Amino acid sequence: NYFQTILICLPLRFSATIMARRPFVGGNWKLNGSFASIAELTEAFNGGEPTPEIDVVIFPTMIAVDRTRSLLKNMKVGAQDVSAQKGFGAMTGEISAELLAEAGIEYTLTGHSERRSKVAAESSELIARKTLNAIEAGLTAVLCIGEQLEDRDAGKTLDVLKSQLEPVIEALKPEHWAKLVLAYEPVWAIGT
C-alpha cells in the first residue's frame, strides 16, 4: 500500500495528524472546459446528493474559478496553483495566497506533476515554499506527489516520494499539517 509507504517517509509526529483527516475527493479540470461545458458539468454535479462527511473540491482553470463556484451547490472550488511569494507586488501571472483566501477560496493545489515537469519545472523546494505560503494564508494545500513510470520501473518510487516530501517536511510546523492534503498521484497512472 503506497499510502502506508508514504507515511513511513514522514516524521512520526505528523502521522497522527494525517490519519485523523476527513475523506477528501478532488477533481482537477486542468486547462479544460469552456463556460458552456462548465455549466453542463456543474448542473450534473448539482443533481447528486450532498456528501457533508467528505470534502469534495473541484479545481477548474483559474479564469473559471468564480463561474464554477457560483454554479456549484454542494462542492467547493479550489485554485490549481498559488504563488510562493507572500503578499502582493510586481509578480506578473502569480496567484496570491492572500487574495485567494480573501476571495473565499479554501484550497489550492501545489506540486502537481505537470507543474513539476511539463509546465514550469518547479523544484520540490519551490513547491514547499508555495505549500507553506498557502497554509500560512489560511488555505488548505493539496500537495501532489508521485513518480514517473521510469522511476517506478527502476524501483525508485520511495526515493522520488522522499525527495518530494523532504522540503515540505522541513518547511512545515506540526500545526500546519492539519491544513495539508497529501495527494499521491503516480504520473504513470493518471495519464498526464
Side-chain angles (χ1 to χ4, degrees):
N1 181 324
Y2 276 118
F3 184 69
Q4 290 173 335
T5 304
I6 291 168
L7 288 179
I8 291 168
C9 299
L10 300 176
L12 187 57
R13 66 184 182 274
F14 298 125
S15 297
T17 302
I18 293 170
M19 294 306 287
R21 292 294 310 238
R22 289 167 44 97
F24 177 90
V25 176
N28 180 7
W29 288 356
K30 303 177 184 263
L31 189 55
N32 294 303
S34 64
F35 287 139
S37 68
I38 289 168
E40 289 176 34
L41 279 170
T42 55
E43 185 178 340
F45 286 143
N46 289 337
E49 292 295 317
T51 55
E53 69 284 353
I54 300 172
D55 293 327
V56 181
V57 183
I58 300 296
F59 297 91
T61 183
M62 197 63 216
I63 199 164
V65 165
D66 261 352
R67 174 79 54 97
T68 306
R69 189 168 55 160
S70 72
L71 296 172
L72 276 176
K73 292 181 183 173
N74 300 314
M75 298 176 191
K76 298 191 181 213
V77 174
Q80 291 182 1
D81 193 26
V82 66
S83 179
Q85 305 300 316
K86 291 190 180 305
F88 306 92
M91 298 173 274
T92 302
E94 290 295 297
I95 302 165
S96 162
E98 293 82 359
L99 193 54
L100 287 172
E102 186 178 329
I105 302 298
E106 298 176 41
Y107 295 86
T108 185
L109 298 176
T110 60
H112 194 278
S113 63
E114 292 159 4
R115 296 210 53 87
R116 288 182 188 270
S117 60
K118 287 171 64 173
V119 175
E122 292 181 351
S123 69
S124 293
E125 291 72 24
L126 175 63
I127 291 162
R129 290 195 310 273
K130 286 182 167 202
T131 303
L132 177 62
N133 188 33
I135 291 171
E136 286 183 340
L139 304 173
T140 295
V142 180
L143 173 65
C144 305
I145 61 171
E147 78 283 5
Q148 302 282 339
L149 180 59
E150 50 274 12
D151 298 320
R152 177 180 177 246
D153 290 345
K156 296 180 182 177
T157 296
L158 289 181
D159 295 334
V160 170
L161 299 181
K162 185 176 178 185
S163 73
Q164 292 172 348
L165 284 169
E166 280 180 335
V168 176
I169 291 167
E170 291 173 20
L172 299 186
K173 297 176 183 170
E175 61 271 19
H176 292 146
W177 286 79
K179 295 291 280 180
L180 183 93
V181 173
L182 190 58
Y184 172 61
E185 297 184 316
V187 181
W188 53 269
I190 61 172
T192 296

